[in-house]
Amino acid sequence: MKVPKAGAVAAVIALAATASGCGGEAKKEPISVGIKFDQPGIGMREADGTFTGFDVDVATYVAKELGYKANEIEFKQVYSSDRELLIQYNEVKFVAASYTINDKRREKVDFAGPYFVAHQDLLVRADDNSITKAEDLNTKRLCSVTGSTSAENVRSKLAPKASVLELGGYSECLVALQDNLVDAMTTDNSILAGYAARKGNEGKFKLVGLNLSNENYGIGIKKGDSALQKKINAALSKMVSDGSWEAAVKKNFGQANYKYEPAPRVTAGG
């Protein structure tokens, strides 16, 4: 009896394995979604590796409508300064990260939505009553995040003499506020409410309660992808109509006694 060579045996085994795999279901590639990892109530990576927040719930709902289960979503961290880049270089399929729709960003990416309306506000230490209006910032130290619209809005319209410290993330701003390195931090009231309500922060901070701007959150997608834009818009409209949007808002912001706006009408690309 002729014994086959080892190489031939290996080839037969490999061929058999390939053939047996053809009948099985091909593994679906996960969908990559950009979110914030450090915004309580919006997008947060918890200590156990799970993700929580309103944007996480919106992204999960949209992904489901696109045909992906929760375990087929790969969340990737995005910062305010690199959202457009991750979309442009196909690192993510879409971004849901407290991403305000504006004309400057529309030059680089397209948006679906809007799906939420926030307003720029200020967060201060609970015992500080010296800041009651935007003009008070002219003699104060203010923290915001690099790449966000908030710092630009303060400089150009509200308090041009304010001393502005720009850091990489809102968590860093919160530490600076807690340590008296700054007098206030500014961004959307939804984000600030999430920090104020976070476990361990109760009673330490307060929102001033100013509506310094209107921030329409949209889902960022690659420029020109009108098919994806249409699908996401349909998903967002369905999320509102079936009650999932309202449930997600109450789940993520209820503890902060946050007065949110009703769901906006989806108009992007329409």
Side-chain angles (χ1 to χ4, degrees):
M1 182 176 124
K2 188 175 179 182
V3 179
K5 293 181 180 178
V9 173
V12 171
I13 292 172
L15 185 62
T18 303
S20 65
C22 290
E25 186 179 341
K27 192 176 186 297
K28 184 192 286 188
E29 285 291 316
I31 185 170
S32 294
V33 179
I35 62 168
K36 294 291 182 72
F37 277 24
D38 69 339
Q39 290 181 355
I42 300 285
M44 189 76 188
R45 188 180 191 277
E46 303 292 349
D48 61 2
T50 59
F51 297 94
T52 61
F54 180 70
D55 280 349
V56 174
D57 290 341
V58 170
T60 301
Y61 189 100
V62 168
K64 179 194 72 174
E65 292 299 305
L66 295 176
Y68 295 86
K69 299 173 184 173
N71 63 358
E72 294 170 337
I73 303 170
E74 180 188 10
F75 287 117
K76 289 190 175 181
Q77 183 173 20
V78 297
Y79 298 93
S80 295
S81 57
D82 67 5
R83 289 175 290 205
E84 289 86 19
L85 284 173
L86 266 69
I87 294 168
Q88 289 174 320
Y89 286 95
N90 300 309
E91 291 293 319
V92 293
K93 190 71 173 177
F94 65 83
V95 167
S98 54
Y99 201 4
T100 300
I101 301 171
N102 63 36
D103 291 338
K104 186 176 180 182
R105 289 168 178 165
R106 274 202 184 105
E107 294 174 5
K108 298 178 180 178
V109 300
D110 281 338
F111 286 95
Y115 64 91
F116 193 80
V117 179
H119 303 285
Q120 184 180 351
D121 198 357
L122 304 172
L123 189 72
V124 298
R125 290 179 291 278
D127 59 355
D128 186 351
N129 298 312
S130 66
I131 301 174
T132 58
K133 57 187 184 299
E135 290 75 17
D136 293 334
L137 294 172
N138 278 313
T139 58
K140 301 291 184 178
R141 300 160 299 170
L142 178 70
C143 189
S144 191
V145 168
T146 306
S148 75
T149 55
S150 302
E152 186 179 335
N153 192 38
V154 168
R155 279 202 192 98
S156 61
K157 301 174 185 176
L158 304 172
K161 294 180 182 177
S163 173
V164 179
L165 173 67
E166 291 188 62
L167 297 176
Y170 295 106
S171 295
E172 295 167 54
C173 274
L174 193 75
V175 171
L177 180 60
Q178 182 172 297
D179 292 347
N180 292 295
L181 298 175
V182 295
D183 303 299
M185 65 181 277
T186 187
T187 185
D188 307 344
N189 52 6
S190 55
I191 298 170
L192 298 176
Y195 277 110
R198 184 78 170 164
K199 188 176 180 181
N201 289 342
E202 303 99 323
K204 291 183 179 179
F205 308 100
K206 65 182 180 183
L207 276 76
V208 176
L210 306 176
N211 286 353
L212 302 177
S213 68
N214 295 321
E215 307 293 335
N216 291 284
Y217 290 177
I219 290 183
I221 59 173
K222 191 148 190 174
K223 197 156 186 66
D225 195 343
S226 56
L228 180 60
Q229 185 184 53
K230 188 175 180 180
K231 288 177 183 177
I232 294 178
N233 280 340
L236 294 173
S237 295
K238 183 179 176 183
M239 187 178 186
V240 173
S241 64
D242 70 11
S244 299
W245 184 92
E246 187 82 16
V249 171
K250 288 180 177 176
K251 172 184 143 189
N252 291 291
F253 301 125
Q255 298 301 315
N257 196 27
Y258 170 53
K259 296 176 178 63
Y260 58 90
E261 299 278 353
R265 189 168 65 89
V266 174
T267 57

